[in-house]
Amino acid sequence: MRNDGWAMMIVALILLSTVALAQETVTGPATTKGTCSPANTGHITTFTFVCGIGKEQGEQMLRILNRILAEQLDPSIVMEKLDEIHTDVRRIRDNQGWLDLTDDEIVEIAEATRAFAGQAVVIDVPFWERDTERLARQIERALTAAQWEVSVTGQGEIRFYPANAKLPKGLVVSRREDTPAFVSLSQSLGRLFGVEFVSVFRDTALADDALKITVWRKP
Protein backbone atom coordinates (compact mmCIF):
# COMPACT_ATOMS: atom_id res chain seq x y z
CA MET A 1 0.00 0.00 0.00
CA ARG A 2 2.86 2.37 0.81
CA ASN A 3 4.44 1.68 -2.60
CA ASP A 4 1.12 2.38 -4.27
CA GLY A 5 0.97 5.69 -2.46
CA TRP A 6 4.41 6.69 -3.68
CA ALA A 7 3.49 5.65 -7.20
CA MET A 8 0.42 7.87 -7.13
CA MET A 9 2.47 10.73 -5.70
CA ILE A 10 5.06 10.41 -8.48
CA VAL A 11 2.32 10.32 -11.11
CA ALA A 12 0.82 13.47 -9.59
CA LEU A 13 4.25 15.12 -9.70
CA ILE A 14 4.59 14.27 -13.40
CA LEU A 15 1.11 15.53 -14.19
CA LEU A 16 1.64 18.78 -12.32
CA SER A 17 4.96 19.26 -14.09
CA THR A 18 3.12 18.94 -17.37
CA VAL A 19 0.47 21.40 -16.28
CA ALA A 20 2.67 24.07 -14.80
CA LEU A 21 5.93 24.01 -16.66
CA ALA A 22 5.98 21.96 -19.86
CA GLN A 23 5.55 23.48 -23.28
CA GLU A 24 3.94 20.89 -25.56
CA THR A 25 3.74 20.94 -29.34
CA VAL A 26 0.59 19.20 -30.45
CA THR A 27 -0.24 17.81 -33.84
CA GLY A 28 -3.93 18.50 -33.98
CA PRO A 29 -7.00 19.63 -32.08
CA ALA A 30 -8.11 17.67 -29.05
CA THR A 31 -10.87 18.10 -26.55
CA THR A 32 -11.22 16.96 -23.00
CA LYS A 33 -13.70 17.25 -20.20
CA GLY A 34 -13.27 17.61 -16.47
CA THR A 35 -11.10 19.73 -14.22
CA CYS A 36 -7.89 17.89 -15.12
CA SER A 37 -8.09 15.19 -17.77
CA PRO A 38 -6.01 13.92 -20.71
CA ALA A 39 -6.60 14.77 -24.34
CA ASN A 40 -5.02 12.66 -27.08
CA THR A 41 -3.56 15.07 -29.66
CA GLY A 42 -2.93 12.74 -32.61
CA HIS A 43 -1.16 9.72 -34.01
CA ILE A 44 2.03 10.32 -32.03
CA THR A 45 0.09 9.63 -28.81
CA THR A 46 1.12 12.84 -27.09
CA PHE A 47 -1.18 13.79 -24.24
CA THR A 48 -1.75 17.28 -22.92
CA PHE A 49 -3.26 17.66 -19.46
CA VAL A 50 -5.45 20.72 -19.08
CA CYS A 51 -6.19 21.71 -15.48
CA GLY A 52 -7.93 24.61 -13.83
CA ILE A 53 -4.81 26.10 -12.24
CA GLY A 54 -2.28 28.63 -13.41
CA LYS A 55 1.50 28.45 -13.74
CA GLU A 56 2.12 29.96 -10.29
CA GLN A 57 -0.24 27.52 -8.59
CA GLY A 58 1.37 24.64 -10.46
CA GLU A 59 4.83 25.70 -9.28
CA GLN A 60 3.57 25.89 -5.70
CA MET A 61 2.15 22.39 -5.98
CA LEU A 62 5.50 21.17 -7.32
CA ARG A 63 7.33 22.68 -4.36
CA ILE A 64 4.94 20.93 -1.98
CA LEU A 65 5.36 17.58 -3.73
CA ASN A 66 9.14 17.98 -3.90
CA ARG A 67 9.22 18.56 -0.15
CA ILE A 68 7.05 15.49 0.44
CA LEU A 69 9.44 13.40 -1.68
CA ALA A 70 12.59 14.90 -0.14
CA GLU A 71 11.40 14.23 3.41
CA GLN A 72 10.06 10.80 2.47
CA LEU A 73 6.70 11.49 4.05
CA ASP A 74 4.06 8.78 4.00
CA PRO A 75 1.58 9.83 1.26
CA SER A 76 -1.35 8.30 3.13
CA ILE A 77 -0.58 10.46 6.17
CA VAL A 78 -0.21 13.54 3.97
CA MET A 79 -3.63 12.89 2.40
CA GLU A 80 -5.15 12.34 5.85
CA LYS A 81 -3.81 15.68 7.05
CA LEU A 82 -5.10 17.41 3.91
CA ASP A 83 -8.54 15.97 4.61
CA GLU A 84 -8.35 17.31 8.18
CA ILE A 85 -7.38 20.77 6.92
CA HIS A 86 -10.25 20.70 4.42
CA THR A 87 -12.69 19.76 7.17
CA ASP A 88 -11.42 22.55 9.45
CA VAL A 89 -11.64 25.15 6.69
CA ARG A 90 -15.18 24.06 5.83
CA ARG A 91 -16.17 24.24 9.50
CA ILE A 92 -14.77 27.76 9.83
CA ARG A 93 -16.55 28.84 6.64
CA ASP A 94 -19.84 27.33 7.75
CA ASN A 95 -19.61 28.87 11.21
CA GLN A 96 -18.95 32.46 10.21
CA GLY A 97 -22.54 33.16 11.27
CA TRP A 98 -24.31 31.36 14.09
CA LEU A 99 -22.37 28.41 15.49
CA ASP A 100 -23.93 24.98 15.44
CA LEU A 101 -25.37 23.75 18.70
CA THR A 102 -23.82 20.55 19.95
CA ASP A 103 -25.97 17.54 20.78
CA ASP A 104 -25.33 18.20 24.48
CA GLU A 105 -26.51 21.82 24.12
CA ILE A 106 -29.68 20.71 22.35
CA VAL A 107 -30.33 18.27 25.21
CA GLU A 108 -29.67 21.07 27.70
CA ILE A 109 -32.40 23.25 26.16
CA ALA A 110 -34.78 20.30 26.07
CA GLU A 111 -34.16 19.42 29.72
CA ALA A 112 -34.55 23.05 30.85
CA THR A 113 -37.93 23.41 29.15
CA ARG A 114 -39.38 19.91 29.49
CA ALA A 115 -41.54 20.89 32.46
CA PHE A 116 -43.68 23.02 30.13
CA ALA A 117 -44.69 20.34 27.63
CA GLY A 118 -47.49 21.55 25.37
CA GLN A 119 -46.26 25.14 25.34
CA ALA A 120 -46.75 26.76 21.94
CA VAL A 121 -43.85 28.69 20.43
CA VAL A 122 -43.16 30.24 17.04
CA ILE A 123 -39.59 30.37 15.78
CA ASP A 124 -39.43 33.15 13.20
CA VAL A 125 -36.51 33.67 10.81
CA PRO A 126 -36.63 37.11 9.10
CA PHE A 127 -33.53 36.36 6.99
CA TRP A 128 -33.71 32.75 5.83
CA GLU A 129 -30.01 32.05 5.45
CA ARG A 130 -27.90 28.97 5.98
CA ASP A 131 -26.82 29.72 9.55
CA THR A 132 -30.11 31.28 10.74
CA GLU A 133 -32.11 28.38 9.31
CA ARG A 134 -29.76 25.84 10.87
CA LEU A 135 -30.00 27.47 14.29
CA ALA A 136 -33.80 27.71 14.05
CA ARG A 137 -34.01 24.02 13.17
CA GLN A 138 -31.75 23.07 16.06
CA ILE A 139 -33.84 25.07 18.54
CA GLU A 140 -36.92 23.46 17.00
CA ARG A 141 -35.35 20.06 17.55
CA ALA A 142 -34.63 20.86 21.20
CA LEU A 143 -38.11 22.17 21.99
CA THR A 144 -39.80 19.37 20.08
CA ALA A 145 -37.86 16.93 22.26
CA ALA A 146 -39.30 18.82 25.25
CA GLN A 147 -42.75 18.19 23.74
CA TRP A 148 -43.47 21.82 22.94
CA GLU A 149 -45.72 22.72 20.02
CA VAL A 150 -43.25 24.34 17.65
CA SER A 151 -43.77 26.07 14.32
CA VAL A 152 -41.07 27.69 12.19
CA THR A 153 -41.86 30.65 9.94
CA GLY A 154 -39.89 32.62 7.38
CA GLN A 155 -38.97 29.99 4.82
CA GLY A 156 -39.60 31.18 1.27
CA GLU A 157 -40.54 34.68 2.42
CA ILE A 158 -38.92 37.87 1.17
CA ARG A 159 -39.25 40.66 3.71
CA PHE A 160 -38.45 44.26 3.02
CA TYR A 161 -37.24 46.71 5.65
CA PRO A 162 -36.56 50.45 5.35
CA ALA A 163 -33.01 51.17 4.25
CA ASN A 164 -32.28 53.09 7.47
CA ALA A 165 -34.08 50.65 9.77
CA LYS A 166 -32.04 49.57 12.78
CA LEU A 167 -32.84 45.87 12.83
CA PRO A 168 -32.32 43.70 15.89
CA LYS A 169 -29.53 41.15 16.01
CA GLY A 170 -29.20 37.92 17.89
CA LEU A 171 -32.05 35.93 19.42
CA VAL A 172 -35.13 37.82 20.59
CA VAL A 173 -37.53 35.97 22.88
CA SER A 174 -40.95 37.66 22.89
CA ARG A 175 -43.86 37.21 25.28
CA ARG A 176 -46.90 39.10 26.54
CA GLU A 177 -46.57 37.99 30.14
CA ASP A 178 -43.61 36.69 32.14
CA THR A 179 -44.74 33.08 32.33
CA PRO A 180 -42.58 30.32 33.86
CA ALA A 181 -42.13 28.82 30.39
CA PHE A 182 -40.81 32.15 29.09
CA VAL A 183 -38.39 32.50 32.01
CA SER A 184 -37.09 28.95 31.54
CA LEU A 185 -36.65 29.36 27.78
CA SER A 186 -34.96 32.76 27.87
CA GLN A 187 -32.62 31.72 30.68
CA SER A 188 -31.57 28.49 28.95
CA LEU A 189 -30.81 30.35 25.72
CA GLY A 190 -28.98 33.06 27.64
CA ARG A 191 -26.77 30.48 29.35
CA LEU A 192 -25.82 28.90 26.03
CA PHE A 193 -25.30 31.99 23.88
CA GLY A 194 -24.53 34.68 26.43
CA VAL A 195 -26.71 37.62 27.38
CA GLU A 196 -25.13 39.74 24.63
CA PHE A 197 -26.73 37.46 22.04
CA VAL A 198 -30.16 36.98 23.65
CA SER A 199 -32.68 39.71 24.41
CA VAL A 200 -36.30 39.69 25.53
CA PHE A 201 -39.24 41.70 24.27
CA ARG A 202 -42.76 42.28 25.58
CA ASP A 203 -45.15 41.91 22.64
CA THR A 204 -48.72 42.89 23.47
CA ALA A 205 -49.89 41.41 20.16
CA LEU A 206 -49.18 37.91 21.44
CA ALA A 207 -51.70 35.82 23.35
CA ASP A 208 -51.21 35.71 27.11
CA ASP A 209 -49.22 32.46 27.15
CA ALA A 210 -47.75 32.56 23.61
CA LEU A 211 -44.01 32.68 23.02
CA LYS A 212 -41.96 33.66 20.00
CA ILE A 213 -38.25 33.31 19.24
CA THR A 214 -36.92 35.49 16.43
CA VAL A 215 -33.63 34.34 14.97
CA TRP A 216 -31.97 37.46 13.59
CA ARG A 217 -28.49 37.57 12.15
CA LYS A 218 -25.65 37.05 14.56
CA PRO A 219 -24.29 40.28 16.04
Side-chain angles (χ1 to χ4, degrees), residues 42-58:
H43 66 281
I44 62 172
T45 64
T46 299
F47 286 84
T48 300
F49 288 84
V50 181
C51 299
I53 61 174
K55 185 175 184 293
E56 182 177 351
Q57 288 177 303

Side-chain angles (χ1 to χ4, degrees), residues 185-207:
L185 176 63
S186 58
Q187 288 182 348
S188 65
L189 294 176
R191 283 193 299 270
L192 285 180
F193 294 97
V195 294
E196 67 271 24
F197 294 108
V198 180
S199 58
V200 297
F201 177 71
R202 189 178 299 278
D203 189 346
T204 57
L206 294 175

Side-chain angles (χ1 to χ4, degrees), residues 6 66-74:
W6 280 115
N66 284 331
R67 180 173 177 181
I68 292 171
L69 292 171
E71 298 185 10
Q72 297 185 356
L73 302 177
D74 188 330

Side-chain angles (χ1 to χ4, degrees), residues 202-215:
R202 189 178 299 278
D203 189 346
T204 57
L206 294 175
D208 288 346
D209 60 348
L211 296 178
K212 180 180 178 180
I213 304 170
T214 307
V215 182

Side-chain angles (χ1 to χ4, degrees), residues 101-108 141:
L101 293 176
T102 65
D103 288 341
D104 287 344
E105 289 170 336
I106 290 173
V107 170
E108 182 178 338
R141 175 183 161 194

